[in-house]
């Protein structure tokens, strides 16, 4: 074996598959990545694939690498070498025509992508068939299968849009009749060929081009239907039939096709019972999908012709009823939703009436499926045999079925659906209630399921419902004390609090039932009680406002016994009761509830400071959350001339929060919780917080300087927005003072960044540039002329070395917004109440200032933005990054083009394809000359969209930055092959 050329590749693959240390695996991965992008990979992959004693894993790697080379790097070899490459690839594919299939598939993809790009190759299908021979049936079928997939759904292809459209026509549209003939001939060649899943997969793929009507009206329909009775072809037949459905969604155009298909599909209904009786889950899932997707595709026709298409709906219902293992029923959920949406339209009321009994039966089936399984042994706490994954899957499945029950409510009314749940509960009570004891509740699953159904339908029940709820509520609060029954009952009551708010006579018994749940031994029941109380407090606050003081005793007695999530939920409930107090009693109520929390805060802060333990810090953080809940939810209204009682209380606790912040400057979590409280004060009480501003601003400045935590900038941003120029009840002097405070915070940040690398403070950078985005919106006429504007642009450019998506996107947004002020389309058009002439003068002044900034720093901005797009930016940042470059081209097209070209010239030698730099620069020059700058995005970033049909426009334009990024790894000596950009410096 001539293994010298690829021995390092085999060694690296062995390292990747062995149990060596992570450093060696990373080294091997880096080597393999470089190998895949190298020109030498062309010959090495062929050698590996042709060597008989190379492991299959290495051959699969070689085939995958060759696929990438053909898709991305075909320009590395001259066009004259493409025919030999094609023939060599066909020779290798011939060797693997019998498998292994993963390698054969990769080689077929290679050949398909070569055929797409090798536009001079005109006889693709006949040439491939003749070279592979008649004995390579599966191999030819697989090539035929992947060809349409790669053309219409593949990766970016190195062709112009026009060339791709023409090539698509040559390969697919022109060959569709020939392929149709080949498929028919092959299916008739032998009985085994007619049930070959490769044939059906190929047929499915070519349904992109071959009209479904042609398939349905040919002998191939028999092949598909007969395949449903074959174990080997069943799955492929289902896929193929469902692909035909999708092509018939335009029911008016496809009516004749549907008329042929419908009786063939409905005739398959006996297979439902057959699969269920054999307990063949896969077969039941397949046949369910067959009926459900037919229903989805033809839902309009079912609504129009309910009598003619009733058989299909009944088949889908039978699939639901017979799925005892609940493996297939979820495949029908989309159909029921779409069917409900259709027949609840006034136009299709007749269908709604006709199918009312179907939806009534569906409710019964769904509630039955909601039942927990009966344990095989005596241990009723282990319902799933210890399989936690299966239990979690069942819980998720129940909520999906709850959505189907909501659909049923819209079709046959909430009262009827709720009545079914009520009747099941009533029947259980009449049969089994007398047998229930404290330790044993017989057949509790049959009671829990309708309780869950009632809970699921809660959102659909009107507060005015007057038929079922009056009977149901008294029944629920008397159910046996079983963990799961109590949990479900409490959760159900929590869903009907809006109804209870309109029927206060039912409040006391429900609230007593929920409060009793806090003493239940089951933690799950306790958590349900807290959640339900939250809803009672939210929706029934007016009914509970006179119980504020008694509720406080309950709140204090139970709070510390609850897990944190339940503490939050309980606090949500009582905070809304406090919010319902008359304005003159708000201060008193807040002191009643919040003073004990503040005392806890002081105690826990002292304890955490002394012990320095994680548990104490967590308890302190959780206490701050409770305080924030009250501030967030208690928002009384006062006239502008009246003192806000909630703000009065906030003034009292501000020194406590400040003291905690000063003592925990090294704990970001604690600081974020405190800043969230301050930020919530601003959002809740808006300009009424003016009495707090002085002390709060001083604390924010001190906290940011001491801790360098970005959360202090959150609060600064909230103040900046709330007290901006033009806001109601804000004096001009206040606005000026707020802007001065903002500049102080900005200068503090710039000094921090002067001392630290952007990579060390990504979160602070994100918070700072969020602040600047708002500063541009509300204070652009002050900020852009200010001395700090230039340094903030420098800081933004320096921050482009980051690789985290969040900070990068915010930084790029700031850059785009700032550059927009250099145009007549700024990100904010607010210039106060000045005249039109003054606004124009102000806008012109800002435009000049922004252009001056670009002249001074534009080259560095272009370099770092383009380098990030080619090497380091996450994919979701590319659109905003190209937006920055487009904004620069709009401002200074010629200068930006020069900077762009200079940046391209700095790329490492050999990393840009021959002629590619000239091509992109010429393209940019043409767009500038034509004034068509918006189309530069396609040049700079591209969208590379694909379309399922050739008639739709394809924009497979080569994305310069993405294609460059795929072919090259970031150089070790800086992003542009030179030193790292200079560190940000601030001398202000």
């Amino acid at each position: 074996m001539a293994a010298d050329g690829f021995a390092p590749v085999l060694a690296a693959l062995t390292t990747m598959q062995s149990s060596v240390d992570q450093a060696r695996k990373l080294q091997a991965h880096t080597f393999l990545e470089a190998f895949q992008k190298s020109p030498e990979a062309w010959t090495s992959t062929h050698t590996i694939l042709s060597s008989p004693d190379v492991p299959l894993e290495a051959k699969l790697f070689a085939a995958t690498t060759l696929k990438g080379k053909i898709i991305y790097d075909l320009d590395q070899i001259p066009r004259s070498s493409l025919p030999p490459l094609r023939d060599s690839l066909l020779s290798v594919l011939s060797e693997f025509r019998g498998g292994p299939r993963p390698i054969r598939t990769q080689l077929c993809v290679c050949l398909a992508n070569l055929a797409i790009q090798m536009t001079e190759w005109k006889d693709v299908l006949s040439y491939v068939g003749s070279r592979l021979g008649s004995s390579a049936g599966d191999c030819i079928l697989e090539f035929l299968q992947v060809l349409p997939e790669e053309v219409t759904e593949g990766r970016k292809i190195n062709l112009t849009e026009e060339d791709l459209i023409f090539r698509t026509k040559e390969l697919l549209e022109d060959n569709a009749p020939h392929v149709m003939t080949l498929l028919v001939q092959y299916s008739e060649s032998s009985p085994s060929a007619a049930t070959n899943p490769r044939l059906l997969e190929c047929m499915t793929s070519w349904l992109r081009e071959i009209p479904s009507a042609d398939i349905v009206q040919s002998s191939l329909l028999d092949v598909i239907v007969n395949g449903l009775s074959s174990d080997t072809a069943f799955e492929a037949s289902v896929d193929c039939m469902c692909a035909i459905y999708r092509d018939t969604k335009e029911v008016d155009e496809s009516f004749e096709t549907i008329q042929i298909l419908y009786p063939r599909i409905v005739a398959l209904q006996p297979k439902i019972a057959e699969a269920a009786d054999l307990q063949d889950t896969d077969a039941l899932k397949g046949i369910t999908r067959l009926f459900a997707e037919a229903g989805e595709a033809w839902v309009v026709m079912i609504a129009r012709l309910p009598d003619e298409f009733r058989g299909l709906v009944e088949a889908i219902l039978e699939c639901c009823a017979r799925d005892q293992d609940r493996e297939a029923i979820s495949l029908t959920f989309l159909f029921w939703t779409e069917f409900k949406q259709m027949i609840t339209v006034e136009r299709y009321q007749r269908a709604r009436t006709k199918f009312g009994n179907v939806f009534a039966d569906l409710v019964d089936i769904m509630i039955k499926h909601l039942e927990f399984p009966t344990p095989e042994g005596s241990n009723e706490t282990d319902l799933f045999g210890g399989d936690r994954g299966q239990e979690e899957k069942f819980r998720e499945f129940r909520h999906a079925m709850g959505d189907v029950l909501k659909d049923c409510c819209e079709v046959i009314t909430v009262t009827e659906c709720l009545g079914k749940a009520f009747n099941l509960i009533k029947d259980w009570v009449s049969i089994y209630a007398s047998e229930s004891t404290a330790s044993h509740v017989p057949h509790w699953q049959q009671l829990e399921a309708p309780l869950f159904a009632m809970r699921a339908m809660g959102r659909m029940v009107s507060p005015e419902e007057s038929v079922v709820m009056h009977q149901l509520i008294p029944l629920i609060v008397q159910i046996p004390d079983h963990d799961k029954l109590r949990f479900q009952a409490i959760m159900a009551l929590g869903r009907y609090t809006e109804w209870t708010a309109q029927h206060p006579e039912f409040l006391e018994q429900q609230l007593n039932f929920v409060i009793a749940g806090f003493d239940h031994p089951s933690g799950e029941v306790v958590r349900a009680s807290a959640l339900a109380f939250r809803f009672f407090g939210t929706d029934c606050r007016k009914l509970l406002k006179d119980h504020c003081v008694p509720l406080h005793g309950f709140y204090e007695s139970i709070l510390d016994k609850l897990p944190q999530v339940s503490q939050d939920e309980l606090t949500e409930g009582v905070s809304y009761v406090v919010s319902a107090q008359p304005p003159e009693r708000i201060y008193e109520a807040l002191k009643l509830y919040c003073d004990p929390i503040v005392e806890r805060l002081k105690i826990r802060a002292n304890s955490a400071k002394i012990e320095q333990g994680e548990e104490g810090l967590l308890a302190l953080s959780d206490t701050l959350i409770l305080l924030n809940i009250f501030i967030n939810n208690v928002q009384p209204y006062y006239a502008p001339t009246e003192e806000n009682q909630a703000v009065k209380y906030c003034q009292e606790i501000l020194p406590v929060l400040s003291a905690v912040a000063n003592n925990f400057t090294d704990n970001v979590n604690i600081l974020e919780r405190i800043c969230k409280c301050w930020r919530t004060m601003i959002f809740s009480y808006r300009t009424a917080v003016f009495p707090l501003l002085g002390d709060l601003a001083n604390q924010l400045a001190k906290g940011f300087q001491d801790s360098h935590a970005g959360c202090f900038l959150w609060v600064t941003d909230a103040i900046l927005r709330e007290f901006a120029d033009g806001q109601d009840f804000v004096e001009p002097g206040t606005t000026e003072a707020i802007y001065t405070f903002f500049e102080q915070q900005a200068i503090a940040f710039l000094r921090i960044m002067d001392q630290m690398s952007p990579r060390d403070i990504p979160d602070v950078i994100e918070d700072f540039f969020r602040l600047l985005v708002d500063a541009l919106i509300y204070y652009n006429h002050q900020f852009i002329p200010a001395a700090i504007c230039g340094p903030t642009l420098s800081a933004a450019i320096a921050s482009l070395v980051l690789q985290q998506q969040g900070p990068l996107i915010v930084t790029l947004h700031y850059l785009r917004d700032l550059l927009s002020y250099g145009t007549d389309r700024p990100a904010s058009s607010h210039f106060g109440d000045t005249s039109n002439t003054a606004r124009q003068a102000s806008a012109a002044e800002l435009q000049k200032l922004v252009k001056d900034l670009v002249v001074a720093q534009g080259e560095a901005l272009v370099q770092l933005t383009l380098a990030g797009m080619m090497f380091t930016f996450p994919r979701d940042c590319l659109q905003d990054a190209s937006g920055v470059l487009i904004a620069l081209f709009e401002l200074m097209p010629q200068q930006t083009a020069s900077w762009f070209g200079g940046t391209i010239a700095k790329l490492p030698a050999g990393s840009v394809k021959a002629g590619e730099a000239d091509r992109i620069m010429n393209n940019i020059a043409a767009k500038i000359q034509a004034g068509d700058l918006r189309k530069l995005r396609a040049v700079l970033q591209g969208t590379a969209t694909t379309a399922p049909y050739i008639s739709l426009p394809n924009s497979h334009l080569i994305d310069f930055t993405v294609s460059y990024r795929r072919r090259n790894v970031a150089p070790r000596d800086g992003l542009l092959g030179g030193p790292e950009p200079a560190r940000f410096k601030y001398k202000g």
Side-chain angles (χ1 to χ4, degrees):
M1 177 180 72
D4 293 344
F6 58 81
V9 176
L10 298 182
L13 287 171
T14 302
T15 299
M16 292 295 293
Q17 296 167 4
S18 61
S19 57
V20 298
D21 60 82
Q22 199 63 32
R24 290 182 61 189
K25 285 194 173 186
L26 180 61
Q27 184 180 9
H29 179 272
T30 303
F31 170 80
L32 291 173
E33 187 180 53
F35 164 75
Q36 288 182 311
K37 296 176 180 180
S38 68
E40 294 76 20
W42 289 105
T43 54
S44 296
T45 51
H46 277 79
T47 308
I48 292 172
L49 286 165
S50 302
S51 299
D53 48 355
V54 170
L56 289 177
E57 292 82 0
K59 292 189 176 186
L60 180 58
F61 171 79
T64 305
T65 299
L66 185 57
K67 177 187 69 177
K69 300 298 289 181
I70 291 174
I71 293 172
Y72 296 106
D73 299 333
L74 198 61
D75 63 305
Q76 289 181 348
I77 56 178
R79 298 293 296 185
S80 59
S81 297
L82 295 186
L85 172 63
R86 173 195 62 192
D87 295 341
S88 173
L89 187 55
L90 280 165
S91 297
V92 174
L93 180 57
S94 183
E95 294 178 23
F96 289 94
R97 62 183 179 273
R101 193 180 177 192
I103 298 176
R104 187 180 72 197
T105 300
Q106 293 297 318
L107 293 174
C108 286
V109 173
C110 290
L111 189 59
N113 278 278
L114 180 60
I116 295 167
Q117 298 181 72
M118 190 175 168
T119 54
E120 61 270 30
W121 183 14
K122 302 300 182 182
D123 57 341
V124 174
L125 298 191
S126 59
Y127 191 86
V128 171
S130 63
R131 286 296 303 267
L132 293 178
S134 58
S135 61
D138 277 6
C139 187
I140 294 173
L141 286 171
E142 186 155 15
F143 170 71
L144 287 175
Q145 175 193 341
V146 302
L147 182 61
E149 294 170 357
E150 292 301 309
V151 172
T152 59
E153 298 178 1
R155 302 159 185 80
K156 295 180 176 67
I157 298 171
N158 193 6
L159 292 176
T160 65
E161 185 172 357
E162 294 76 12
D163 287 345
L164 181 61
I165 291 173
F166 184 75
R167 191 58 173 160
T168 302
K169 180 179 182 300
E170 285 186 326
L171 292 176
L172 301 186
E173 186 178 337
D174 294 349
N175 280 317
H178 179 50
V179 172
M180 176 75 177
T181 302
L182 286 176
L183 295 176
V184 172
Q185 290 174 348
Y186 180 81
S187 69
E188 295 173 350
S189 63
S190 69
S192 60
T195 57
N196 186 347
R198 305 289 90 75
L199 168 66
L200 292 154
E201 290 165 357
C202 183
M203 204 185 308
T204 302
S205 181
W206 275 87
L207 276 165
R208 294 170 173 82
E209 289 299 325
I210 300 174
S212 60
D214 293 353
I215 298 285
V216 170
Q217 293 170 14
S218 73
S219 60
L220 292 176
L221 179 59
D222 291 330
V223 173
I224 301 170
V225 174
N226 293 337
L228 295 169
S229 300
S230 166
D231 291 340
T232 57
F234 177 77
E235 186 175 346
S237 296
V238 172
D239 289 339
C240 190
M241 188 66 81
C242 290
I244 292 174
Y245 296 156
R246 288 190 288 273
D247 198 36
T248 60
K249 282 190 174 182
E250 294 297 330
V251 293
D252 292 322
E253 298 174 8
S254 306
F255 187 64
E256 291 184 8
T257 302
I258 296 171
Q259 282 184 311
I260 298 172
L261 281 173
Y262 182 74
R264 303 295 296 271
I265 299 302
V266 174
L268 297 170
Q269 187 169 356
K271 287 185 175 292
I272 303 172
E274 179 184 331
D277 292 342
L278 293 173
Q279 297 183 339
D280 188 338
T281 302
D282 291 336
L284 185 57
K285 288 172 70 174
I287 204 72
T288 300
R289 183 182 165 209
L290 200 66
F291 286 113
E293 293 201 21
E296 293 166 22
W298 304 336
V299 66
V300 175
M301 196 62 72
I302 300 171
R304 288 181 188 171
L305 304 171
D307 295 322
E308 290 82 349
F309 284 85
R310 185 178 183 87
L312 178 58
V313 179
E314 290 179 342
I316 299 171
L317 185 70
E318 183 181 351
C319 291
C320 297
R322 290 187 179 275
D323 183 23
Q324 298 304 312
D325 295 329
R326 307 180 185 92
E327 293 288 342
I329 191 173
S330 61
L331 298 172
T332 71
F333 291 168
L334 179 58
F335 164 72
W336 294 120
T337 297
E338 293 188 350
F339 191 35
K340 175 266 301 184
Q341 290 173 342
M342 189 62 62
I343 63 176
T344 50
V345 175
E346 184 67 30
R347 180 179 179 182
Y348 299 119
Q349 283 301 302
R350 178 171 171 269
R352 180 176 184 175
T353 303
K354 288 279 187 179
F355 288 109
N357 64 325
V358 171
F359 277 89
D361 291 342
L362 183 61
V363 173
D364 296 331
I365 292 169
M366 289 295 163
I367 295 179
K368 186 63 181 176
H369 280 309
L370 287 172
E371 290 183 12
F372 273 97
T374 302
E376 295 180 1
S378 58
N379 184 6
E380 289 204 355
T381 61
D382 186 10
L383 302 174
F384 295 89
D387 189 340
R388 302 296 296 177
Q390 191 66 23
E391 182 175 0
E392 185 60 32
K393 180 181 176 182
F394 176 69
R395 291 179 186 276
E396 293 175 2
F397 169 74
R398 295 179 103 203
H399 289 287
M401 283 197 294
D403 292 335
V404 177
L405 287 173
K406 295 183 185 76
D407 292 336
C408 295
C409 289
E410 292 193 54
V411 176
I412 59 172
T413 75
V414 175
T415 299
E416 183 173 348
C417 294
L418 202 61
K420 285 178 173 290
F422 169 66
N423 288 332
L424 288 170
I425 295 171
K426 186 171 65 173
D427 291 346
W428 187 94
V429 170
S430 65
I431 298 172
Y432 300 114
S434 60
E435 302 176 24
S436 299
T437 64
S439 59
H440 176 67
V441 179
H443 303 287
W444 60 267
Q445 293 92 338
Q446 296 177 22
L447 175 58
E448 194 271 350
L451 285 171
F452 181 92
M454 176 195 166
R455 168 188 165 192
M457 294 183 285
R459 184 168 60 85
M460 308 301 296
V461 177
S462 165
E464 287 76 36
E465 203 283 328
S466 59
V467 177
V468 180
M469 291 300 298
H470 292 76
Q471 306 172 68
L472 190 52
I473 294 298
L475 206 57
I476 289 178
V477 297
Q478 298 180 46
I479 65 161
D481 190 15
H482 181 281
D483 290 0
K484 291 196 180 298
L485 295 178
R486 192 65 177 266
F487 169 82
Q488 210 56 256
I490 291 174
M491 292 293 285
L493 293 178
R495 288 293 181 94
Y496 290 86
T497 49
E498 289 185 13
W499 182 89
T500 303
Q502 301 296 319
H503 301 84
E505 67 272 21
F506 291 93
L507 174 62
E508 184 177 355
Q509 56 184 310
Q510 292 183 75
L511 202 57
N512 289 338
F513 186 77
V514 170
I515 289 176
F518 284 96
D519 295 323
H520 201 279
S522 168
E524 195 174 50
V525 173
V526 172
R527 290 190 293 273
S529 299
L531 180 59
F533 190 90
R534 171 190 171 190
F535 294 127
F536 275 100
T538 303
D539 295 327
C540 303
R541 68 185 86 174
K542 293 181 180 179
L543 300 179
L544 293 171
K545 66 179 182 180
D546 294 335
H547 300 273
C548 186
V549 174
L551 276 177
H552 175 256
F554 160 71
Y555 177 70
E556 277 297 308
S557 68
I558 199 69
L559 184 65
D560 293 330
K561 301 176 185 177
L562 299 175
Q564 183 56 41
V565 173
S566 297
Q567 287 188 26
D568 296 347
E569 290 167 344
L570 178 61
T571 303
E572 287 271 357
V574 297
S575 67
Y576 280 111
V577 176
V578 171
S579 73
Q581 301 304 300
E584 64 274 12
R585 290 174 53 189
I586 288 291
Y587 174 76
E588 174 189 334
L590 278 173
K591 282 191 70 67
L592 178 66
Y593 278 88
C594 294
D595 275 359
I597 296 176
V598 173
E599 287 304 313
R600 287 183 179 88
L601 184 65
K602 294 176 182 177
I603 294 169
R604 290 173 180 175
N606 292 332
S607 175
K609 193 66 179 176
I610 295 170
E611 298 175 5
Q612 296 291 321
E614 190 67 31
E615 186 176 343
L617 291 170
L618 185 60
L620 176 59
S621 175
D622 292 342
T623 308
L624 288 164
I625 292 175
L626 301 183
L627 199 57
N628 184 70
I629 289 171
F630 277 100
I631 298 170
N632 186 65
N633 294 339
V634 182
Q635 299 181 22
Y637 172 77
Y638 295 92
T641 56
E642 294 180 303
E643 181 183 25
N644 189 305
Q645 298 292 303
V647 173
K648 177 182 176 182
Y649 184 75
C650 289
Q651 283 182 282
E652 291 186 8
I653 64 173
L654 181 62
V656 178
L657 295 175
S658 299
V660 175
N662 293 336
N663 279 284
F664 290 90
T665 55
D666 57 344
N667 191 297
V668 175
N669 184 48
I670 299 298
L671 294 177
E672 286 182 351
R673 297 298 186 199
I674 293 172
C675 285
K676 188 173 182 180
C677 287
W678 289 335
R679 192 165 178 252
T680 303
M681 290 177 190
I682 297 164
F683 289 150
S684 292
Y685 310 124
R686 312 198 76 83
T687 53
V689 299
F690 180 77
L692 295 174
L693 279 186
D695 292 339
L696 182 56
N698 291 334
Q699 184 57 46
L700 292 174
K702 182 179 186 305
F704 185 51
Q705 290 175 357
D706 293 347
S707 68
H708 299 174
C711 54
F712 291 97
L713 300 179
W714 299 351
V715 192
T716 304
D717 190 12
I719 294 173
L720 196 73
R721 278 181 284 165
E722 193 56 45
F723 289 88
D725 185 24
Q727 298 286 5
D728 293 338
F729 313 116
V730 178
E731 297 293 332
T734 302
T735 300
E736 292 299 322
I738 295 299
Y739 177 76
T740 302
F741 166 58
F742 153 73
E743 275 206 358
Q744 292 173 354
Q745 294 289 73
I747 290 170
F749 169 82
L750 295 172
R751 287 173 177 163
I752 291 169
M753 196 163 171
D754 179 66
Q755 302 298 319
M756 304 180 73
S757 166
R759 295 184 177 92
D760 296 331
I761 53 171
D763 293 341
V764 185
I765 287 173
E766 181 175 356
D767 295 326
F768 177 67
F769 285 108
R770 286 190 192 281
L771 173 63
L772 288 194
V773 167
D774 281 336
L776 278 173
I777 293 174
Y778 298 110
Y779 295 87
N780 46 73
H781 56 294
Q782 293 167 281
F783 172 61
I784 294 176
I788 63 164
C789 188
T792 62
L793 176 58
S794 302
I797 295 171
S799 299
L800 296 179
V801 299
L802 294 173
Q803 298 183 29
Q804 295 95 328
Q805 180 173 317
L808 272 175
I809 285 182
V810 175
T811 303
L812 292 167
H813 283 179
Y814 166 68
L815 288 168
R816 294 183 69 176
D817 288 354
L818 178 62
L819 294 173
S820 75
Y821 284 91
T823 71
D824 55 2
R825 300 184 308 278
S828 171
S829 59
H830 175 67
F831 289 100
D833 296 327
T834 54
S835 67
N836 186 55
T837 303
R839 283 198 298 272
Q840 291 176 352
S842 179
E845 179 186 354
L846 295 185
Q847 289 172 13
K848 182 180 183 304
L849 291 169
V850 171
K851 288 178 180 177
D852 290 344
L853 290 173
V854 172
V855 169
Q857 304 189 51
E859 184 173 11
L861 177 56
V862 170
Q863 287 184 0
L864 269 293
T865 304
L866 191 56
M869 291 178 71
M870 290 188 291
F871 292 117
T872 59
F873 286 174
R875 182 170 296 275
D876 287 345
C877 295
L878 297 184
Q879 185 169 354
D880 284 310
S882 64
V884 170
L885 293 177
I886 289 171
L888 287 168
F889 275 111
E890 289 179 347
L891 278 180
M892 297 181 172
Q894 301 298 334
Q895 187 64 58
T896 302
S898 174
W899 293 330
F900 191 96
T903 303
I904 298 295
K906 291 184 178 182
L907 293 170
S911 64
V912 180
K913 296 179 182 180
E916 186 174 12
D918 292 338
R919 186 163 58 249
I920 191 172
M921 291 310 300
N922 291 336
N923 206 342
I924 288 173
K927 296 291 186 293
I928 292 174
Q929 185 71 27
D932 197 4
L933 297 177
R934 281 293 163 187
K935 287 190 177 179
L936 279 174
R937 187 182 299 276
V939 179
L940 301 174
Q941 181 209 342
T943 54
T945 58
T946 58
Y949 303 103
I950 191 170
S951 59
L952 295 178
N954 287 272
S955 56
H956 293 264
L957 301 175
I958 285 300
D959 171 345
F960 172 72
T961 55
V962 173
S963 63
Y964 182 94
R965 187 174 188 156
R966 188 262 157 213
R967 296 191 311 269
N968 301 278
V969 294
R972 295 181 183 277
D973 54 349
L975 292 182
L976 297 173
E980 283 283 320
R983 282 271 307 263
F984 170 80
K985 293 294 180 183
Y986 179 65
K987 299 179 181 179

